[in-house]
Amino acid sequence: MRVMTRPIDGQKPGTSGLRKKTKLFMSDGYLENFIQSVFDATGGATGRTYVVGGDGRYFNDSAAQVILKMAAANGAKRVIVGRNALLSTPAASHLIRLNRTDGGLILSASHNPGGPDEDFGVKFNTANGGPAPEAVTEAIFARTGEIREYFVADDNDVDLSRIGTQQIGGMEVSVIDPVADYAALMESLFDFDKIRAMFAGGFRMRFDAMCAVTGPYAREILERRLGAEPGTVVNAEPLPDFGGLHPDPNPTWARALMDEMFGPDAPDFGAASDGDGDRNMVVGRGIYVSPSDSLAVLAANARLAPGYRAGLKGVARSMPTSAAVDRVAAALGIAAYETPTGWKFFGNLLDAGRATLCGEESFGAGSDHVREKDGLWAVLLWLNILAERKESVAEILNAHWRLFGRNYYSRHDYEALSVEVATGVMGGLRGKLAGLPGQIVEGMKVIAADDFAYTDPVDGSVARGQGLRVVFEGGSRLVMRLSGTGTEGATLRLYLERFVAGPDGLGDAVQEALAPMIRAAEALAGIRTATGREGPDVIT
Ligand code: G1P
Ligand code: ZN
């Protein structure tokens, strides 16, 4: 059935797909226009195969039905969809690759809350399993500005609770177990026997799935296959509103896990994941592991896991992520790449075999096993390392810092600012950058300052305006950028990093260790003055 439509403003994919208020997504033609634009901008759906699934948030199931009907009406050959339209983002990426499909549509607003008054999102991934690169998302956006019609099959809903093959408007729909192929991939990368033996020996863990999509994956892998005590995985049932939780695995939103890990009789290891399962937070007994440190430790120890025995080809991190992993790469004699924020920038490096491990400060880590970050993968690599080293998380981290030095690191977010104020603060600092090198700020000498631009070493594409950075002598840095994933107003992110070599005596009070950086940021950018805020809304 052909439906006449008109372009809808603002359907511009951000850092990670199109993310908007759920009600907007549910409004007349909104989802349909975007999906049709994806098909149109990528050469049409005729004869193609896709993977479809999402994180189970409110509207996930109805949106999946719309997409199936649209894929059918656009002539697609087959869609592989997770049971009940559930698929974690890394599992979707794996299925795209495993089945050599033409791409996938992932329904998620990641770590943003879900529900009728919260957020929804759609992300298009290409045949390599990764988020569509900018050239593709720009073509999709351009198409949303021209669209006049969309196609949707006039058919009944598919029964997505039933595993097996069904037909809709001449298209095959394969409803699959969302966990099975992903779990098999994890078994191929990690030493499950060793991890199982560690659990059998009394190792205790808590995994907070935050009522989001990772629950079924974590239960199957940690409890059933690895023998972790039943109940290890909490908040394991994916719920449309994530049980009212904010499914963002960080010390603020995963408070219960933090309290348990810092409380009496804490388990040996704690972890949490986000709405769609691509983010992770790991915590040891009484010690928090910052994502940038986690990436560095994973890189330094990856060879302990069977899937990485041959060593790493290189590592990549987003620009705001701390440089901790760079020094591991230097010690290993491998390349370290610095990319703009967003997983899509890692795709070419992974495809070209230049990098094996990638990570971001925003609780994202992953490898070339898929083309997305992967929360449970990071947790399993940690477990494999713990099983091999037979040391605590604290011992491993402290040994790492002794060897490589420590990058004290924190991100300060100022949320829901007016766009004028946020762009004003950015503009203010941008205007000063050229004059900064050589200046002394808070007793520290600036050695470089720029608006980060990235030239992809594989295809030569250039991404500009990727964040303001001020680099000080000795490796400390300030970075400032605007979020590209928010759905309301503007979020200003200030990234603070202070490098201290060797045993430093600064202790674990990160915000105190960063005090000079915080003062330098205020002196240079005047965020508090401009926003009238006492301090950041979220500190990670
Ligand atoms: C945020 C993170 C970024 C991550 C993205 C998707 O984007 O900062 O690292 O890739 O979410 O999970 P931002 O809101 O900063 O644009
Ligand atoms: Zn996510």
Side-chain angles (χ1 to χ4, degrees):
M1 177 168 92
R2 173 204 303 258
V3 181
M4 304 314 281
T5 187
R6 271 195 280 164
I8 300 173
D9 276 349
Q11 294 198 316
K12 189 177 173 56
T15 310
S16 189
L18 182 67
R19 227 175 259 189
K20 298 286 175 191
K21 286 290 157 203
T22 310
K23 283 211 174 110
L24 182 58
F25 252 110
M26 293 173 75
S27 64
D28 220 13
Y30 196 92
L31 174 68
E32 290 85 348
N33 270 21
F34 187 70
I35 299 297
Q36 188 66 48
S37 299
V38 169
F39 291 148
D40 292 352
T42 54
T46 310
R48 296 207 159 155
T49 300
Y50 298 100
V51 168
V52 172
D55 62 13
R57 70 179 59 225
Y58 186 82
F59 191 50
N60 185 77
D61 41 5
S62 338
Q65 295 287 355
V66 169
I67 293 172
L68 290 174
K69 288 173 195 172
M70 289 189 66
N74 277 276
K77 184 166 148 231
R78 181 178 176 219
V79 170
I80 299 166
V81 54
R83 184 179 47 225
N84 295 327
L86 288 182
L87 281 179
S88 77
T89 289
S93 180
H94 177 50
L95 287 167
I96 293 170
R97 298 164 64 75
L98 184 70
N99 296 285
R100 296 179 197 284
T101 70
D102 298 291
L105 290 149
I106 303 176
L107 311 173
S108 172
S110 189
H111 50 287
N112 296 16
D117 297 316
E118 301 293 352
D119 295 347
F120 192 77
V122 176
K123 198 164 67 160
F124 176 64
N125 281 29
T126 48
N128 74 342
E134 276 196 336
V136 177
T137 55
E138 270 159 28
I140 295 169
F141 177 52
R143 184 66 194 161
T144 65
E146 301 159 352
I147 188 164
R148 291 281 176 262
E149 58 186 16
Y150 63 79
F151 298 90
V152 58
D154 193 5
D155 220 314
N156 292 331
D157 280 3
V158 176
D159 180 0
L160 293 178
S161 67
R162 193 154 53 85
I163 285 181
T165 299
Q166 301 169 50
Q167 297 283 329
I168 178 170
M171 179 184 84
E172 189 180 310
V173 179
S174 311
V175 181
I176 58 149
D177 173 352
V179 177
D181 289 319
Y182 177 82
L185 175 64
M186 293 301 112
E187 282 212 61
S188 76
L189 294 173
F190 302 115
D191 192 337
F192 272 36
D193 289 340
K194 242 196 180 121
I195 303 174
R196 201 179 297 114
M198 179 170 74
F199 278 119
F203 182 89
R204 285 188 305 130
M205 174 177 181
R206 177 74 60 235
F207 185 98
D208 191 342
M210 304 190 92
C211 301
V213 79
T214 321
Y217 295 85
R219 270 210 173 133
E220 171 64 25
I221 294 173
L222 299 174
E223 296 184 6
R224 298 205 188 91
R225 300 198 186 192
L226 293 171
E229 224 178 293
T232 293
V233 183
V234 293
N235 295 319
E237 229 43 76
L239 298 174
D241 66 346
F242 305 120
L245 296 175
H246 193 135
D248 198 357
N250 63 43
T252 304
W253 297 114
R255 190 75 251 164
L257 176 70
M258 290 297 283
D259 288 347
E260 186 177 1
M261 295 307 298
F262 281 80
D265 195 33
D268 300 283
F269 188 56
S273 58
D274 74 330
D276 60 331
D278 57 357
R279 292 186 173 200
N280 79 91
M281 174 176 81
V282 296
V283 202
R285 181 187 294 134
I287 190 163
Y288 164 70
V289 187
S290 84
S292 296
D293 280 340
S294 179
L295 176 64
V297 169
L298 294 180
N301 294 280
R303 290 182 83 145
L304 297 176
Y308 304 94
R309 214 62 102 204
L312 307 178
K313 293 170 182 147
V315 292
R317 64 166 172 87
S318 67
M319 183 274 280
T321 304
S322 99
V325 74
D326 297 18
R327 281 192 314 284
V328 173
L332 293 172
I334 56 174
Y337 297 91
E338 185 176 35
T339 60
T341 295
W343 209 261
K344 60 187 169 212
F345 292 101
F346 294 135
N348 280 345
L349 298 171
L350 295 167
D351 283 348
R354 292 193 184 215
T356 308
L357 245 57
C358 307
E360 294 191 275
E361 51 67 39
S362 52
F363 300 83
S367 86
D368 58 2
H369 68 292
V370 289
R371 292 294 179 274
E372 290 277 6
K373 54 186 177 255
D374 188 343
L376 210 40
W377 167 89
V379 171
L380 290 166
L381 181 48
W382 262 100
L383 285 171
N384 203 146
I385 292 166
L386 289 164
E388 285 287 347
R389 288 186 55 160
K390 300 185 168 48
E391 291 167 275
S392 69
V393 173
E395 285 163 347
I396 290 175
L397 263 182
N398 284 309
H400 187 93
W401 291 329
R402 272 197 303 279
L403 194 59
F404 295 101
R406 180 166 178 180
N407 292 65
Y408 286 92
Y409 186 88
S410 181
R411 185 174 103 184
H412 290 190
D413 291 336
Y414 293 79
E415 295 183 337
L417 297 174
S418 81
V419 173
E420 296 70 45
V421 167
T423 49
V425 174
M426 287 291 290
L429 179 59
R430 192 179 289 113
K432 288 185 189 167
L433 292 175
L436 286 181
Q439 284 198 28
I440 309 285
V441 187
E442 289 294 320
M444 302 174 294
K445 187 173 175 192
V446 178
I447 55 164
D450 67 356
D451 190 346
F452 181 58
Y454 175 69
T455 303
D456 186 302
V458 179
D459 66 13
S461 60
V462 180
R464 291 181 214 285
Q466 297 297 320
L468 311 179
R469 56 178 178 176
V470 180
V471 185
F472 298 89
E473 211 164 44
S476 296
R477 290 192 314 163
L478 292 175
V479 172
M480 203 167 80
R481 59 179 283 280
L482 295 180
S483 159
T485 57
T487 54
E488 259 177 327
T491 293
L492 186 71
R493 305 204 194 284
L494 172 66
Y495 308 80
L496 307 143
E497 176 175 2
R498 178 176 174 195
F499 176 66
V500 187
D504 55 50
L506 281 176
D508 285 328
V510 174
Q511 298 302 319
E512 280 157 37
L514 288 171
M517 308 312 301
I518 296 171
R519 285 196 301 271
E522 192 53 26
L524 290 173
I527 303 176
R528 292 176 197 199
T529 315
T531 60
R533 303 258 173 106
E534 293 280 312
D537 300 284
V538 179
I539 295 182
T540 49

